[in-house]
PDB file of all heavy atoms in Angstrom:
ATOM      1  N   HIS A 388     119.345 129.889  75.109  1.00 91.00           N
ATOM      2  CA  HIS A 388     120.238 129.479  74.029  1.00 91.00           C
ATOM      3  C   HIS A 388     120.873 130.674  73.326  1.00 91.00           C
ATOM      4  O   HIS A 388     121.967 130.568  72.779  1.00 91.00           O
ATOM      5  CB  HIS A 388     119.490 128.639  72.990  1.00 91.00           C
ATOM      6  CG  HIS A 388     118.834 127.425  73.565  1.00 91.00           C
ATOM      7  ND1 HIS A 388     119.377 126.713  74.598  1.00 91.00           N
ATOM      8  CD2 HIS A 388     117.673 126.794  73.245  1.00 91.00           C
ATOM      9  CE1 HIS A 388     118.586 125.685  74.890  1.00 91.00           C
ATOM     10  NE2 HIS A 388     117.542 125.727  74.094  1.00 91.00           N
ATOM     11  N   GLU A 389     120.161 131.785  73.327  1.00 93.00           N
ATOM     12  CA  GLU A 389     120.668 132.980  72.647  1.00 93.00           C
ATOM     13  C   GLU A 389     121.128 134.043  73.631  1.00 93.00           C
ATOM     14  O   GLU A 389     121.459 135.155  73.227  1.00 93.00           O
ATOM     15  CB  GLU A 389     119.595 133.520  71.701  1.00 93.00           C
ATOM     16  CG  GLU A 389     119.276 132.525  70.587  1.00 93.00           C
ATOM     17  CD  GLU A 389     118.227 133.008  69.609  1.00 93.00           C
ATOM     18  OE1 GLU A 389     117.552 134.020  69.906  1.00 93.00           O
ATOM     19  OE2 GLU A 389     118.080 132.384  68.544  1.00 93.00           O
ATOM     20  N   GLY A 390     121.146 133.698  74.907  1.00 92.00           N
ATOM     21  CA  GLY A 390     121.684 134.612  75.903  1.00 92.00           C
ATOM     22  C   GLY A 390     120.938 135.914  76.040  1.00 92.00           C
ATOM     23  O   GLY A 390     121.512 136.934  76.426  1.00 92.00           O
ATOM     24  N   THR A 391     119.624 135.900  75.764  1.00 96.00           N
ATOM     25  CA  THR A 391     118.834 137.135  75.850  1.00 96.00           C
ATOM     26  C   THR A 391     117.979 137.186  77.109  1.00 96.00           C
ATOM     27  O   THR A 391     117.175 138.101  77.268  1.00 96.00           O
ATOM     28  CB  THR A 391     117.916 137.278  74.621  1.00 96.00           C
ATOM     29  OG1 THR A 391     117.013 136.161  74.580  1.00 96.00           O
ATOM     30  CG2 THR A 391     118.719 137.327  73.329  1.00 96.00           C
ATOM     31  N   GLN A 392     118.124 136.229  77.999  1.00 96.00           N
ATOM     32  CA  GLN A 392     117.241 136.111  79.148  1.00 96.00           C
ATOM     33  C   GLN A 392     117.431 137.261  80.143  1.00 96.00           C
ATOM     34  O   GLN A 392     118.524 137.775  80.322  1.00 96.00           O
ATOM     35  CB  GLN A 392     117.472 134.777  79.866  1.00 96.00           C
ATOM     36  CG  GLN A 392     118.707 134.702  80.733  1.00 96.00           C
ATOM     37  CD  GLN A 392     120.014 134.628  79.957  1.00 96.00           C
ATOM     38  OE1 GLN A 392     120.017 134.314  78.767  1.00 96.00           O
ATOM     39  NE2 GLN A 392     121.126 134.919  80.622  1.00 96.00           N
ATOM     40  N   ILE A 393     116.309 137.632  80.784  1.00 97.00           N
ATOM     41  CA  ILE A 393     116.374 138.601  81.884  1.00 97.00           C
ATOM     42  C   ILE A 393     115.973 137.953  83.199  1.00 97.00           C
ATOM     43  O   ILE A 393     115.961 138.620  84.235  1.00 97.00           O
ATOM     44  CB  ILE A 393     115.483 139.837  81.621  1.00 97.00           C
ATOM     45  CG1 ILE A 393     114.001 139.442  81.538  1.00 97.00           C
ATOM     46  CG2 ILE A 393     115.937 140.584  80.367  1.00 97.00           C
ATOM     47  CD1 ILE A 393     113.051 140.637  81.555  1.00 97.00           C
ATOM     48  N   GLU A 394     115.601 136.667  83.187  1.00 97.00           N
ATOM     49  CA  GLU A 394     115.187 136.028  84.436  1.00 97.00           C
ATOM     50  C   GLU A 394     116.374 135.943  85.393  1.00 97.00           C
ATOM     51  O   GLU A 394     117.534 136.074  85.006  1.00 97.00           O
ATOM     52  CB  GLU A 394     114.592 134.648  84.188  1.00 97.00           C
ATOM     53  CG  GLU A 394     115.545 133.533  83.858  1.00 97.00           C
ATOM     54  CD  GLU A 394     114.879 132.161  83.940  1.00 97.00           C
ATOM     55  OE1 GLU A 394     114.375 131.810  85.034  1.00 97.00           O
ATOM     56  OE2 GLU A 394     114.868 131.448  82.925  1.00 97.00           O
ATOM     57  N   MET A 395     116.067 135.732  86.663  1.00 96.00           N
ATOM     58  CA  MET A 395     117.107 135.690  87.678  1.00 96.00           C
ATOM     59  C   MET A 395     118.122 134.599  87.366  1.00 96.00           C
ATOM     60  O   MET A 395     117.752 133.484  86.984  1.00 96.00           O
ATOM     61  CB  MET A 395     116.488 135.469  89.055  1.00 96.00           C
ATOM     62  CG  MET A 395     115.710 136.658  89.567  1.00 96.00           C
ATOM     63  SD  MET A 395     114.927 136.347  91.177  1.00 96.00           S
ATOM     64  CE  MET A 395     116.376 136.100  92.199  1.00 96.00           C
ATOM     65  N   ALA A 396     119.393 134.937  87.530  1.00 92.00           N
ATOM     66  CA  ALA A 396     120.465 134.006  87.208  1.00 92.00           C
ATOM     67  C   ALA A 396     121.557 134.098  88.260  1.00 92.00           C
ATOM     68  O   ALA A 396     121.723 135.122  88.924  1.00 92.00           O
ATOM     69  CB  ALA A 396     121.032 134.314  85.824  1.00 92.00           C
ATOM     70  N   VAL A 397     122.287 132.999  88.400  1.00 87.00           N
ATOM     71  CA  VAL A 397     123.357 132.927  89.397  1.00 87.00           C
ATOM     72  C   VAL A 397     124.630 132.451  88.723  1.00 87.00           C
ATOM     73  O   VAL A 397     124.602 131.785  87.690  1.00 87.00           O
ATOM     74  CB  VAL A 397     122.978 131.969  90.541  1.00 87.00           C
ATOM     75  CG1 VAL A 397     121.789 132.506  91.323  1.00 87.00           C
ATOM     76  CG2 VAL A 397     122.664 130.573  90.003  1.00 87.00           C
ATOM     77  N   PRO A 398     125.791 132.773  89.317  1.00 82.00           N
ATOM     78  CA  PRO A 398     127.061 132.341  88.709  1.00 82.00           C
ATOM     79  C   PRO A 398     127.238 130.831  88.783  1.00 82.00           C
ATOM     80  O   PRO A 398     126.770 130.178  89.708  1.00 82.00           O
ATOM     81  CB  PRO A 398     128.113 133.045  89.570  1.00 82.00           C
ATOM     82  CG  PRO A 398     127.390 134.117  90.298  1.00 82.00           C
ATOM     83  CD  PRO A 398     125.996 133.609  90.499  1.00 82.00           C
ATOM     84  N   LYS A 399     127.896 130.298  87.781  1.00 73.00           N
ATOM     85  CA  LYS A 399     128.289 128.889  87.766  1.00 73.00           C
ATOM     86  C   LYS A 399     129.679 128.783  87.155  1.00 73.00           C
ATOM     87  O   LYS A 399     130.040 129.545  86.255  1.00 73.00           O
ATOM     88  CB  LYS A 399     127.316 128.061  86.923  1.00 73.00           C
ATOM     89  CG  LYS A 399     126.049 127.657  87.645  1.00 73.00           C
ATOM     90  CD  LYS A 399     126.319 126.516  88.588  1.00 73.00           C
ATOM     91  CE  LYS A 399     125.033 126.019  89.228  1.00 73.00           C
ATOM     92  NZ  LYS A 399     125.283 124.901  90.155  1.00 73.00           N
ATOM     93  N   SER A 400     130.441 127.834  87.625  1.00 65.00           N
ATOM     94  CA  SER A 400     131.751 127.598  87.024  1.00 65.00           C
ATOM     95  C   SER A 400     131.586 126.750  85.777  1.00 65.00           C
ATOM     96  O   SER A 400     130.625 125.992  85.651  1.00 65.00           O
ATOM     97  CB  SER A 400     132.668 126.875  88.016  1.00 65.00           C
ATOM     98  OG  SER A 400     132.099 125.627  88.364  1.00 65.00           O
ATOM     99  N   GLY A 401     132.506 126.888  84.838  1.00 59.00           N
ATOM    100  CA  GLY A 401     132.440 126.082  83.634  1.00 59.00           C
ATOM    101  C   GLY A 401     132.583 126.918  82.390  1.00 59.00           C
ATOM    102  O   GLY A 401     132.988 128.082  82.442  1.00 59.00           O
ATOM    103  N   PRO A 402     132.260 126.361  81.212  1.00 55.00           N
ATOM    104  CA  PRO A 402     132.423 127.073  79.938  1.00 55.00           C
ATOM    105  C   PRO A 402     131.598 128.353  79.903  1.00 55.00           C
ATOM    106  O   PRO A 402     130.553 128.447  80.530  1.00 55.00           O
ATOM    107  CB  PRO A 402     131.888 126.061  78.911  1.00 55.00           C
ATOM    108  CG  PRO A 402     131.933 124.739  79.593  1.00 55.00           C
ATOM    109  CD  PRO A 402     131.715 124.999  81.037  1.00 55.00           C
ATOM    110  N   ALA A 403     132.060 129.330  79.153  1.00 50.00           N
ATOM    111  CA  ALA A 403     131.363 130.614  79.042  1.00 50.00           C
ATOM    112  C   ALA A 403     130.239 130.488  78.023  1.00 50.00           C
ATOM    113  O   ALA A 403     130.366 130.869  76.871  1.00 50.00           O
ATOM    114  CB  ALA A 403     132.330 131.714  78.638  1.00 50.00           C
ATOM    115  N   LEU A 404     129.091 129.962  78.463  1.00 55.00           N
ATOM    116  CA  LEU A 404     127.969 129.753  77.554  1.00 55.00           C
ATOM    117  C   LEU A 404     127.035 130.944  77.516  1.00 55.00           C
ATOM    118  O   LEU A 404     126.426 131.228  76.502  1.00 55.00           O
ATOM    119  CB  LEU A 404     127.185 128.505  77.978  1.00 55.00           C
ATOM    120  CG  LEU A 404     127.982 127.199  77.941  1.00 55.00           C
ATOM    121  CD1 LEU A 404     127.107 126.050  78.398  1.00 55.00           C
ATOM    122  CD2 LEU A 404     128.508 126.936  76.553  1.00 55.00           C
ATOM    123  N   TYR A 405     126.874 131.638  78.639  1.00 63.00           N
ATOM    124  CA  TYR A 405     125.951 132.759  78.724  1.00 63.00           C
ATOM    125  C   TYR A 405     126.691 133.972  79.265  1.00 63.00           C
ATOM    126  O   TYR A 405     127.525 133.855  80.155  1.00 63.00           O
ATOM    127  CB  TYR A 405     124.781 132.420  79.663  1.00 63.00           C
ATOM    128  CG  TYR A 405     124.146 131.078  79.406  1.00 63.00           C
ATOM    129  CD1 TYR A 405     124.162 130.085  80.371  1.00 63.00           C
ATOM    130  CD2 TYR A 405     123.534 130.806  78.190  1.00 63.00           C
ATOM    131  CE1 TYR A 405     123.568 128.845  80.140  1.00 63.00           C
ATOM    132  CE2 TYR A 405     122.947 129.575  77.946  1.00 63.00           C
ATOM    133  CZ  TYR A 405     122.975 128.599  78.922  1.00 63.00           C
ATOM    134  OH  TYR A 405     122.396 127.377  78.688  1.00 63.00           O
ATOM    135  N   LEU A 406     126.346 135.135  78.738  1.00 69.00           N
ATOM    136  CA  LEU A 406     126.944 136.360  79.269  1.00 69.00           C
ATOM    137  C   LEU A 406     126.510 136.533  80.718  1.00 69.00           C
ATOM    138  O   LEU A 406     125.334 136.400  81.047  1.00 69.00           O
ATOM    139  CB  LEU A 406     126.491 137.565  78.433  1.00 69.00           C
ATOM    140  CG  LEU A 406     126.935 137.556  76.967  1.00 69.00           C
ATOM    141  CD1 LEU A 406     126.376 138.779  76.251  1.00 69.00           C
ATOM    142  CD2 LEU A 406     128.449 137.540  76.853  1.00 69.00           C
ATOM    143  N   ASP A 407     127.454 136.845  81.581  1.00 74.00           N
ATOM    144  CA  ASP A 407     127.105 136.873  83.001  1.00 74.00           C
ATOM    145  C   ASP A 407     126.516 138.217  83.424  1.00 74.00           C
ATOM    146  O   ASP A 407     126.512 139.183  82.680  1.00 74.00           O
ATOM    147  CB  ASP A 407     128.322 136.510  83.866  1.00 74.00           C
ATOM    148  CG  ASP A 407     129.428 137.546  83.782  1.00 74.00           C
ATOM    149  OD1 ASP A 407     129.128 138.741  83.927  1.00 74.00           O
ATOM    150  OD2 ASP A 407     130.592 137.155  83.616  1.00 74.00           O
ATOM    151  N   TYR A 408     125.954 138.237  84.653  1.00 86.00           N
ATOM    152  CA  TYR A 408     125.313 139.423  85.203  1.00 86.00           C
ATOM    153  C   TYR A 408     126.255 140.206  86.124  1.00 86.00           C
ATOM    154  O   TYR A 408     125.900 141.297  86.579  1.00 86.00           O
ATOM    155  CB  TYR A 408     124.088 139.037  86.033  1.00 86.00           C
ATOM    156  CG  TYR A 408     122.904 138.471  85.278  1.00 86.00           C
ATOM    157  CD1 TYR A 408     123.018 137.944  83.995  1.00 86.00           C
ATOM    158  CD2 TYR A 408     121.648 138.454  85.871  1.00 86.00           C
ATOM    159  CE1 TYR A 408     121.930 137.408  83.335  1.00 86.00           C
ATOM    160  CE2 TYR A 408     120.543 137.920  85.221  1.00 86.00           C
ATOM    161  CZ  TYR A 408     120.699 137.391  83.942  1.00 86.00           C
ATOM    162  OH  TYR A 408     119.601 136.866  83.307  1.00 86.00           O
ATOM    163  N   LEU A 409     127.387 139.624  86.433  1.00 82.00           N
ATOM    164  CA  LEU A 409     128.300 140.262  87.378  1.00 82.00           C
ATOM    165  C   LEU A 409     128.793 141.596  86.854  1.00 82.00           C
ATOM    166  O   LEU A 409     128.930 141.773  85.642  1.00 82.00           O
ATOM    167  CB  LEU A 409     129.482 139.326  87.656  1.00 82.00           C
ATOM    168  CG  LEU A 409     129.123 138.020  88.375  1.00 82.00           C
ATOM    169  CD1 LEU A 409     130.354 137.122  88.487  1.00 82.00           C
ATOM    170  CD2 LEU A 409     128.544 138.298  89.763  1.00 82.00           C
ATOM    171  N   PRO A 410     129.060 142.562  87.721  1.00 86.00           N
ATOM    172  CA  PRO A 410     129.075 142.487  89.183  1.00 86.00           C
ATOM    173  C   PRO A 410     127.702 142.738  89.823  1.00 86.00           C
ATOM    174  O   PRO A 410     127.617 142.973  91.021  1.00 86.00           O
ATOM    175  CB  PRO A 410     130.038 143.599  89.563  1.00 86.00           C
ATOM    176  CG  PRO A 410     129.779 144.645  88.520  1.00 86.00           C
ATOM    177  CD  PRO A 410     129.521 143.884  87.243  1.00 86.00           C
ATOM    178  N   ASN A 411     126.651 142.701  89.007  1.00 89.00           N
ATOM    179  CA  ASN A 411     125.312 142.986  89.526  1.00 89.00           C
ATOM    180  C   ASN A 411     124.675 141.738  90.137  1.00 89.00           C
ATOM    181  O   ASN A 411     125.163 140.622  89.970  1.00 89.00           O
ATOM    182  CB  ASN A 411     124.432 143.522  88.393  1.00 89.00           C
ATOM    183  CG  ASN A 411     124.970 144.818  87.821  1.00 89.00           C
ATOM    184  OD1 ASN A 411     125.102 145.801  88.532  1.00 89.00           O
ATOM    185  ND2 ASN A 411     125.314 144.818  86.539  1.00 89.00           N
ATOM    186  N   LYS A 412     123.552 141.929  90.799  1.00 92.00           N
ATOM    187  CA  LYS A 412     122.877 140.830  91.480  1.00 92.00           C
ATOM    188  C   LYS A 412     121.959 140.076  90.526  1.00 92.00           C
ATOM    189  O   LYS A 412     121.692 140.532  89.398  1.00 92.00           O
ATOM    190  CB  LYS A 412     122.097 141.371  92.670  1.00 92.00           C
ATOM    191  CG  LYS A 412     121.146 142.516  92.350  1.00 92.00           C
ATOM    192  CD  LYS A 412     120.600 143.125  93.643  1.00 92.00           C
ATOM    193  CE  LYS A 412     119.757 144.359  93.349  1.00 92.00           C
ATOM    194  NZ  LYS A 412     119.232 144.959  94.586  1.00 92.00           N
ATOM    195  N   PRO A 413     121.471 138.907  90.941  1.00 94.00           N
ATOM    196  CA  PRO A 413     120.686 138.049  90.044  1.00 94.00           C
ATOM    197  C   PRO A 413     119.461 138.702  89.421  1.00 94.00           C
ATOM    198  O   PRO A 413     119.060 138.324  88.327  1.00 94.00           O
ATOM    199  CB  PRO A 413     120.280 136.881  90.958  1.00 94.00           C
ATOM    200  CG  PRO A 413     121.368 136.807  91.976  1.00 94.00           C
ATOM    201  CD  PRO A 413     121.747 138.243  92.231  1.00 94.00           C
ATOM    202  N   ALA A 414     118.859 139.670  90.090  1.00 96.00           N
ATOM    203  CA  ALA A 414     117.621 140.278  89.593  1.00 96.00           C
ATOM    204  C   ALA A 414     117.856 141.602  88.864  1.00 96.00           C
ATOM    205  O   ALA A 414     116.901 142.337  88.613  1.00 96.00           O
ATOM    206  CB  ALA A 414     116.648 140.493  90.747  1.00 96.00           C
ATOM    207  N   ILE A 415     119.084 141.901  88.487  1.00 97.00           N
ATOM    208  CA  ILE A 415     119.398 143.223  87.932  1.00 97.00           C
ATOM    209  C   ILE A 415     118.549 143.555  86.705  1.00 97.00           C
ATOM    210  O   ILE A 415     118.065 144.680  86.555  1.00 97.00           O
ATOM    211  CB  ILE A 415     120.902 143.331  87.585  1.00 97.00           C
ATOM    212  CG1 ILE A 415     121.229 144.705  87.010  1.00 97.00           C
ATOM    213  CG2 ILE A 415     121.341 142.230  86.642  1.00 97.00           C
ATOM    214  CD1 ILE A 415     120.931 145.866  87.933  1.00 97.00           C
TER     215      ILE A 415
END
Side-chain angles (χ1 to χ4, degrees):
H388 303 326
E389 296 180 347
T391 61
Q392 77 287 343
I393 63 169
E394 75 167 301
M395 290 178 64
V397 295
K399 278 283 185 180
S400 60
L404 298 179
Y405 312 118
L406 297 178
D407 66 49
Y408 292 19
L409 295 175
N411 298 300
K412 53 189 174 180
I415 180 60

